[in-house]
Amino acid sequence: MSIEKQISIIKNEIKDKADLVAVSKTRTVEEIQKAYNSGQLKFGENRVQEIVDKQSKLPNNIEWHMIGHLQKNKVKYIAKFINLIHSVDRISLAKEIDKHAKKENRRIDCLIQLKISKEESKFGLQIEDFKKFYESLKNYKNLNIIGLMGMASFTDDNELIDKEFKKIKTIYDDMVLIDSEFKVLSIGMSDDYDIALENGSNMIRVGSKIFGKRNY
Ligand SMILES: *Cc1c(COP(=O)(O)O)cnc(C)c1O
């Protein structure tokens, strides 16, 4: 099925409950252009070199989201144009984003990535460290924390996925009450966004369901 068709199916499913970030990692500029032509404006990438390259070749009104593990020394390449960084999970990274945002004379919107699955390979901040981490980010005025991101376990066990999303939703709900900037809960990917939407997701990150299976 075509990229345009898939996007329209997904948008129809989510209605106005959530924003759709089209995850375009490994995809060509031409494929992204197709999605853009059908009205899609938010795109997510997980590698700095790729996002910088694509940003320079595609229309200026695209919103670029950094969704993957971000190395400190690469923040400078994206600080000028990035719309939302989903993967803030350590102080050293926050400090670097703040520094480059200041240089660019802007505030950069960010999400704190929480580790909600028990899988070894996933990045993200441990839930028990969240409160302290959040408090220490207050020093960084050019970093604007607007919500949370999480990735559920890669599994067919829907109950486990549901449990993991509920964990992050509870923390998100607490934060909304105390921080007026909090407005984004980024949970849900191709295989689990239905469960994420049931759990209050308002931003889903969908790649393979739009563009087809990735070949790395
Ligand atoms: C690749 C990726 C996605 C999209 O995954 P799909 O299963 O292709 O929808 C979402 N979020 C993050 C952080 C990713 O790295």
Side-chain angles (χ1 to χ4, degrees), residues 1 7 18 32 53 68 110-111 116 120 128 133 142 151-152 172 200:
M1 214 183 295
I7 288 178
I32 298 172
D53 180 55
C110 293
L111 306 179
I116 53 174
E120 216 28 80
E128 51 273 28
F133 182 75
N142 291 65
M151 284 170 91
Y172 177 74

Side-chain angles (χ1 to χ4, degrees), residues 114 125-134:
L114 289 181
L125 185 76
Q126 298 287 347
I127 285 178
E128 51 273 28
D129 299 332
F130 170 71
K131 256 282 136 70
K132 204 170 154 210
F133 182 75
Y134 170 76

Side-chain angles (χ1 to χ4, degrees), residues 21-25 27 44-46 66-69 86-87 113 122 149-151 154 186 188-193 204-214 216:
V21 177
V23 176
S24 48
K25 60 191 187 198
R27 299 297 165 179
E45 294 279 340
N46 68 345
M66 185 68 204
I67 61 170
H69 181 66
H86 290 233
S87 48
Q113 183 177 352
K122 298 279 196 308
M149 186 270 249
M151 284 170 91
F154 186 70
S186 168
M189 313 185 1
S190 291
D191 291 335
D192 59 18
Y193 70 78
I204 61 172
R205 310 174 310 270
V206 180
S208 42
K209 180 137 185 200
I210 294 173
F211 296 104
K213 214 167 160 285
R214 278 181 296 276
Y216 285 99

